[in-house]
Amino acid sequence: MTNNMYVKNWIDEMAALTQPDSIVWIDGSEEQAEALRAEAVKTGEMIKLNEEKLPRCYLHRTAVNDVARVEGRTFICTTKKEDAGNINNWMAPAECYEKLSKLFRGSMKGRTMYVIPYSMGVVGSEFAKIGIELTDSIYVVLNMLIMTRAGKEVIDALGDSADFVKGLHGKADIDEENRYICHFPEDNTIWSVNSGYGGNVLLGKKCFALRIASYLGRKEGWMAEHMLILGIQYPDGEIKYISAAFPSACGKTNLAMLIPPEFLQKKGYKVWCVGDDIAWLRVGADGRLWAVNPENGFFGVAPGTNDKSNPNALATTMHDTIFTNVVHDLDNNTVWWEGLNDNPPKNAIDWKGNPWDYTKYDKKDKSTCGAHPNSRFTAMATNCPCISSEFANPAGVPISAIVFGGRRAKTAPLVYQSKDWQNGTFVGSIMASETTAAAAGAVGVVRRDPMAMRPFVGYNMGDYFAHWLEMGKRIPNAPKIFNVNWFRTDDEGHFIWPGFGDNMRVLLWILARCEGKVDAVETPIGFVPKAEDIDIEGLDGVTIDTIRELLTVDKESWLEDVANIREFYAMVGDRVPAELYDELAALEARLSK
Ligand code: GTP
Ligand code: SPV
Ligand code: MN
C-alpha cells in the first residue's frame, strides 16, 4: 500500500520479530471491515447482536484477567530516568526493547498481522498526527476503525515522511505476569504485549494521544490533556466552549453529552459534544486557547448509562457499536449492564461468559454484577445526537473555561474558581480523586491525580507542571480555571448533588464568571458562588441550604489535604516549579488564618 521506506523497513523488522503467517493492510473500506467482522464472529471473538434491535452491533468479552488499564505495568522508557520522573514507571529503552522482544518473538505465528494506518485528528490537517499500529487482534482493528480515522487516505497523507508513531501490539498469551505497555517517546514508539483490553491496546488513545502526545506537546509548545470538550449554546445562538479534565470513570462522557434541565431547554439552551476523553490544545492566532478532539469515536463506560443519566450516550450505542464485557441477554440477543434499567435479563451470560443469575444480583456487591464495572461501548462520534458541528473542524474550538474535577466524598466543594492561570495550574496539580474500575487495583481510594493525567503524562510530572505554567504565559486570552466536584456525599454515603444534566447549572455559573457577569465569595481556596447564584429551579429535594452545604470549605480537612499535597509534591520530586510551592504556602497561610 505504500512505498514509504521508513514504513516498509519498520514493518519488515517487526514481522521478522513476531513472525506472522500473513500481513494485511487495513484500507478503511467497509468491505474489508465487514469481512473482518464475519471472521471474528466465526472464531467467537465477537458475537453478532440482534440486527433489528441493535443494527450492526457486536459483543466482545476480554479475558477475565484483562479488563482495565494496568498502570503498574505501564512504562515510560526515556534514556534518562529523570525524564520519565518518579510518578511513571521507568525502564531503560534498550533493556525494555530486549525484554519485550523476547515476549514478541514468534508471538504472531499462526496469526495475521494487521497494519492500521491511522490519524489522530482530521486526516492531513495541520494539527493531526499519524500513527501506524501493528496488531494481531481483529477486535483492535475494528475498534481502531471507530476510534480513529484509519485507512488508505492516512498512508497517502503520510507520503514518504518518517513522522509517524510506530505502534506494535501483540496479544501473545494474554499473560498478566508478562503484560507490558511501554512508551519510547524519544523514538515515537509504543510496544504493548499480553493484553487485549481497550486502553492498553488501542494505541491511538491513551498511549499516543496522551502519553506520546504530551511529550511532543511540551517540545512543540502545545498540550495533550485528558479532557472532554463541550459547547453550550445560549438562547441567542452564541456557543461557548469548556474543556474539563476528570479522572477515568469520573464523568467526562456524561458531562460532554449532557441534556440541560427542562427549564433551560425551554429557554433555548443546548449542549454540543466535541469530545469526551482527550483534547489537544494550542494557542490560536487570536491569543485564545483552541481545542481539538483527536479521536473519532467514544470508548465509554457502560454501567450507569441509561435514558435518564445520559440519553445521548445511550442513543449513540443503538447501532454500529462494539460492546465489551457487558451482559448478553440471550432471549433478545441484546446487551444489558447495571444501571441500564431495573429489568435484568432472566436468561443471560455475564461478562465472564458464564450463565448469570439475576436473582443473586446485589447492587452493593460487585462480584454479583453481570457486566464488569469497567465494561465499555465503542461507537462513532457521528452516532451521537448532540455531536457538535465543529467536531471535525481542524481549527478546533476556542476554550472559555478549563474545569478540573474529581470524585471526592468530602473536602472539595461543588465548584470554585482559581485566581489566575498560575493559581489554576496549582488547583489542577492538587487534584485528588477516588480510584475507579478503569484501572486495575483498589477502587475508592483517594489519590492525587494532577489534571487527571497521573497515568498519562509521558514525561516528568514536575516538567509537566512547568509546561502548564509556561503555556499560561503564551496565552494572552487564557481560559479561566475552575474545579468541580459532583460527588460529595452525606453521612449515609448518598450523593448530595443530583449531577448529570443538572451539572449544567454549575457550568452556567462558570461561564457567567468568565464573562464577569456574576459575583463570587472569596474563600481560602478560591472563589465560590453565592448560593443563590446556582439556579435550582425545578430541582427536587435541593434547597438553597443544600447548595450552601455543597459550597462549604472546611479548613480542617483542607489543612490535612495541604499536608498530603506536600508529600505528593515531594514524591514528584525536584522539578516541581517553585511557583507551585509558593501557591501551596499561600494556601496554607490563608487556611491557617
Ligand atoms: P473514562 O472514559 O474512563 O475516561 O471516564 P469518564 O470520565 O468519561 O466517565 P463517565 O462519564 O463514563 O462516568 C463514569 C461513571 O460516573 C458512570 O457510572 C456515571 O454514571 C457516573 N457519573 C457521571 N457523571 C456523574 C454525576 O454527575 N454524578 C454522579 N453521581 N455520577 C456520575
Ligand atoms: C480511561 O481509563 O480513562 C479510559 C478508558 O478512557 S481507556 O481507553 O481504557 O483508557
Ligand atoms: Mn479516559
Side-chain angles (χ1 to χ4, degrees):
M1 202 146 89
T2 180
N3 292 318
N4 182 318
M5 290 314 291
Y6 302 104
V7 174
K8 286 169 91 164
N9 291 343
W10 169 65
I11 295 177
D12 285 350
E13 199 186 320
M14 295 303 106
L17 174 67
T18 56
Q19 300 162 34
D21 280 9
S22 58
I23 298 178
V24 171
W25 278 80
I26 298 304
D27 59 17
S29 70
E30 182 49 31
E31 300 74 60
Q32 186 184 46
E34 194 53 30
L36 288 171
R37 288 181 202 116
E39 190 178 336
V41 167
K42 209 169 83 192
T43 61
E45 191 175 346
M46 295 205 310
I47 295 165
K48 167 104 179 81
L49 297 168
N50 187 319
E51 184 59 27
E52 259 123 67
K53 294 194 160 118
L54 293 169
R56 300 173 300 282
C57 290
Y58 294 82
L59 168 65
H60 171 80
R61 287 191 283 264
T62 64
V64 173
N65 72 15
D66 189 27
V67 293
R69 287 181 294 98
V70 280
E71 295 177 4
R73 311 200 67 94
T74 298
F75 288 79
I76 301 296
C77 305
T78 43
T79 309
K80 292 194 208 125
K81 185 172 192 302
E82 313 87 88
D83 291 339
N86 300 330
I87 300 300
N88 285 310
N89 301 308
W90 175 83
M91 234 190 286
E95 181 195 339
C96 187
Y97 282 128
E98 193 186 314
K99 190 183 188 91
L100 268 62
S101 288
K102 288 191 185 125
L103 301 171
F104 272 118
R105 188 156 294 126
S107 66
M108 294 192 190
K109 273 185 196 155
R111 300 180 189 180
T112 300
M113 173 193 271
Y114 298 96
V115 181
I116 315 168
Y118 65 94
S119 173
M120 299 314 290
V122 175
V123 181
S125 66
E126 193 190 328
F127 205 44
K129 294 201 176 281
I130 290 175
I132 301 180
E133 175 164 359
L134 309 178
T135 179
D136 55 5
S137 159
I138 294 183
Y139 171 77
V140 167
V141 172
L142 294 173
N143 274 270
M144 286 293 284
L145 283 169
I146 296 172
M147 294 306 297
T148 71
R149 291 144 170 118
K152 183 166 185 320
E153 55 172 355
V154 176
I155 208 72
D156 292 344
L158 182 65
D160 54 14
S161 164
D163 189 14
F164 63 98
V165 171
K166 304 187 270 288
L168 175 64
H169 164 250
K171 289 183 290 187
D173 309 312
I174 313 287
D175 169 8
E176 67 186 314
E177 301 299 315
N178 280 306
R179 186 167 297 154
Y180 289 96
I181 320 299
C182 298
H183 307 71
F184 306 87
E186 293 157 2
D187 304 343
N188 253 347
T189 295
I190 305 159
W191 280 17
S192 162
V193 67
N194 275 308
S195 174
Y197 165 75
N200 298 331
V201 300
L202 307 179
L203 301 186
K205 197 172 177 58
K206 295 310 191 332
C207 300
F208 179 173
L210 287 181
R211 297 196 189 95
I212 298 286
S214 63
Y215 177 92
L216 293 174
R218 175 168 175 250
K219 261 199 339 204
E220 299 168 2
W222 53 281
M223 307 161 93
E225 299 294 334
H226 194 199
M227 287 178 178
L228 67 93
I229 309 163
L230 65 74
I232 292 189
Q233 183 173 334
Y234 285 76
D236 67 4
E238 192 188 8
I239 304 180
K240 299 243 173 243
Y241 294 93
I242 294 178
S243 63
F246 309 155
S248 303
C250 288
K252 289 183 301 301
T253 304
N254 279 271
L255 193 70
M257 298 181 189
L258 80 79
I259 292 189
E262 212 169 294
F263 83 103
L264 290 173
Q265 286 182 44
K266 284 196 182 130
K267 287 185 188 166
Y269 285 92
K270 291 191 174 113
V271 168
W272 302 106
C273 172
V274 182
D276 83 324
D277 198 46
I278 297 175
W280 285 0
L281 307 122
R282 64 186 158 147
V283 189
D286 61 356
R288 291 191 289 177
L289 189 65
W290 288 71
V292 298
N293 170 11
E295 300 193 278
N296 198 38
F298 308 116
F299 184 59
V301 176
T305 307
N306 61 52
D307 56 9
K308 292 203 179 54
S309 65
N310 193 347
N312 283 320
L314 197 63
T316 302
T317 66
M318 295 316 281
H319 61 95
D320 299 282
T321 295
I322 300 171
F323 296 94
T324 302
N325 293 341
V326 298
V327 177
H328 189 194
D329 174 345
L330 295 176
D331 288 334
N332 297 297
N333 192 23
T334 54
V335 289
W336 189 85
W337 50 77
E338 280 69 22
L340 175 62
N341 54 43
D342 290 328
N343 305 308
K346 314 278 173 294
N347 177 21
I349 301 290
D350 70 10
W351 68 272
K352 295 180 180 167
N354 300 322
W356 183 57
D357 182 356
Y358 75 100
T359 61
K360 303 228 168 76
Y361 164 52
D362 168 5
K363 270 188 179 159
K364 287 186 201 92
D365 178 0
K366 289 272 185 254
S367 71
T368 66
C369 283
H372 188 274
N374 190 40
S375 54
R376 301 240 167 197
F377 57 83
T378 320
M380 299 265 279
T382 49
N383 278 14
C384 179
C386 64
I387 195 71
S388 164
S389 60
E390 305 309 296
F391 162 69
N393 183 342
V397 294
I399 299 297
S400 298
I402 290 176
V403 180
F404 294 120
R407 240 174 226 275
R408 293 298 298 270
K410 304 282 173 238
T411 318
L414 180 62
V415 58
Y416 69 102
Q417 182 184 3
S418 66
K419 294 170 197 298
D420 51 29
W421 184 276
Q422 174 173 309
N423 179 245
T425 298
F426 171 71
V427 166
S429 81
I430 67 169
M431 261 172 71
S433 194
E434 292 153 24
T435 51
T436 65
V443 168
V445 184
V446 176
R447 70 161 181 180
R448 307 239 78 95
D449 189 350
M451 285 84 169
M453 283 288 280
R454 183 180 180 135
F456 308 121
V457 176
Y459 57 101
N460 187 308
M461 183 68 79
D463 292 338
Y464 170 76
F465 293 159
H467 181 52
W468 261 83
L469 294 174
E470 193 49 43
M471 285 296 297
K473 294 178 194 146
R474 299 188 32 229
I475 318 169
N477 291 309
K480 303 279 185 274
I481 301 179
F482 298 80
N483 193 89
V484 298
N485 177 22
W486 317 136
F487 299 93
R488 257 207 203 186
T489 55
D490 60 20
D491 294 337
E492 279 93 58
H494 301 119
F495 295 122
I496 304 172
W497 176 246
F500 301 100
D502 290 313
N503 293 333
M504 172 91 170
R505 300 164 191 267
V506 175
L507 297 185
L508 287 180
W509 181 80
I510 286 175
L511 287 174
R513 283 296 290 170
C514 294
E515 309 257 291
K517 285 184 179 156
V518 64
D519 260 355
V521 182
E522 189 162 5
T523 75
I525 63 169
F527 301 98
V528 302
K530 293 177 167 169
E532 62 270 26
D533 287 333
I534 299 292
D535 199 331
I536 52 172
E537 182 176 334
L539 268 187
D540 249 7
V542 175
T543 65
I544 189 146
D545 285 328
T546 318
I547 302 295
R548 278 196 192 101
E549 184 190 345
L550 284 164
L551 292 173
T552 52
V553 176
D554 177 53
K555 290 188 183 181
E556 283 311 307
S557 48
W558 271 94
L559 279 168
E560 279 169 36
D561 238 39
V562 164
N564 183 269
I565 293 161
R566 191 160 278 123
E567 275 172 40
F568 177 70
Y569 275 7
M571 191 165 104
V572 172
D574 53 13
R575 295 198 193 174
V576 173
E579 290 93 326
L580 297 189
Y581 275 108
D582 293 346
E583 290 285 341
L584 182 57
L587 172 64
E588 186 169 29
R590 291 193 298 269
L591 288 165
S592 310
K593 234 197 266 167

